[in-house]
Amino acid sequence: IEAVPETGSTNADLLARLPAGELAGPVLRIADVQTAGRGRAGRPWLSAPGASLTFSLAWPFKGPLQRLAGLPLAVGVALAETVASLGVPVQLKWPNDLMKDGAKLAGILVETGTAPDGVLWAVIGCGMNLTMPDEMEARIGRAVSSAPWLARMDRDELVALLLSRLAAVLAEFDDTGFAPFRERWNALQAWRGQPVNILDHGAVRQQGLAAGVDDAGRLLLDTPAGTVAVLSGDVSLRLA
Ligand code: ATP
């Protein structure tokens, strides 16, 4: 476990160490604040000292790579169940966000790489808003949420609880893939049964009623033409 006061991105830090074979086993890197935190497709993830929990966990997997498509969802289950057990009920927005009171509380970013010995690694990043300074909310420019209740906890204790459930989920996921987590994910799904749009670079690509995910973590949409499965790729989900 590495704790640093500040870094650009904990995901970037760990990914940079992969090609040189510098990761011998799982590493958790946690920063009080990130100056270049990122979400999917290079979108920014903002944090502020004392207000945010930002960490990344590098973890080796048996693979194959395609199986890791469901990993962000399994990670979401681990984080959401932990946070809920601490008295903060949250929901999961496909594919990679934790929602509280209808707005984003935390984001998950999974990036992968291969070490020189051929081992497949995932670097699993999480940014969670403990509190939300007005100035940060203004910069994000959309509805966000925070969990002041968690902010009052001892940070090391909070991280330990998140990490222990996450490690258990990752070990199981490596053996089984996403399928055994499907019902747990569906039980926590945000916007279940509600009309949603799938946005691809800002344009509506698909519409339907949100109907859970399948065994691979694809979003199921009920449409007039039947049920369709949506791969995450770089698409965004919005309420219609
Ligand atoms: P979308 O939210 O559009 O569906 P996404 O879930 O893939 O896409 P990410 O790329 O994971 O989003 O996260 C980046 C986005 O999250 C940013 O574009 C910004 O809108 C939002 N964001 C950035 N920082 C925060 C934060 N601290 N809390 C909540 N949302 C944030």
Side-chain angles (χ1 to χ4, degrees):
I1 296 179
E2 306 171 351
V4 294
E6 180 180 309
T7 190
S9 149
T10 52
N11 259 41
D13 291 347
L14 292 176
L15 280 170
R17 279 146 66 176
L18 262 186
E22 286 170 24
L23 298 179
V27 177
L28 181 82
R29 187 170 173 83
I30 177 161
D32 292 339
V33 66
Q34 297 187 125
T35 52
R38 56 193 197 210
R40 295 187 304 151
R43 287 186 284 267
W45 183 268
L46 303 188
S47 57
S52 315
L53 190 62
T54 53
F55 64 83
S56 299
L57 176 63
W59 194 273
F61 284 91
K62 294 198 280 266
L65 182 61
Q66 308 85 274
R67 180 187 265 196
L68 298 193
L71 184 57
L73 285 85
V75 170
V77 168
L79 300 182
E81 289 180 349
T82 308
V83 166
S85 76
L86 296 169
V88 180
V90 288
Q91 293 183 303
L92 292 169
K93 174 182 162 248
W94 185 87
N96 65 331
D97 293 327
L98 269 67
M99 307 287 282
K100 175 172 169 276
D101 305 325
K104 210 187 285 199
L105 173 74
I108 295 160
L109 176 69
V110 174
E111 297 177 285
T112 57
T114 306
D117 59 4
V119 173
L120 173 66
W121 286 77
V123 175
I124 298 156
C126 170
M128 188 180 295
N129 304 320
L130 300 178
T131 56
M132 178 52 66
D134 291 346
E135 168 280 328
M136 190 160 108
E137 183 162 13
R139 274 165 62 212
I140 296 169
R142 35 194 284 215
V144 286
S145 70
S146 62
W149 177 251
L150 299 183
R152 285 197 283 275
M153 272 183 78
D154 178 74
R155 190 187 72 162
D156 291 350
E157 196 182 326
L158 175 59
V159 171
L161 289 170
L162 291 167
L163 181 59
S164 60
R165 194 177 293 237
L166 191 52
V169 162
L170 297 182
E172 185 182 345
F173 181 95
D174 201 18
D175 285 333
T176 63
F178 179 69
F181 297 98
R182 175 185 177 177
E183 288 315 317
R184 282 157 76 183
W185 196 96
N186 283 340
L188 292 165
Q189 184 184 24
W191 305 342
R192 179 127 205 185
Q194 296 193 53
V196 292
N197 290 331
I198 297 291
L199 300 187
D200 190 348
H201 296 92
V204 177
R205 197 180 80 190
Q206 249 152 349
Q207 293 185 299
L209 301 180
V213 293
D214 68 9
D215 280 349
R218 294 179 301 179
L219 178 68
L220 298 174
L221 285 184
D222 285 337
T223 75
T227 302
V228 295
V230 185
L231 264 173
S232 65
D234 183 26
V235 293
S236 295
L237 183 67
R238 293 281 186 279
L239 269 180

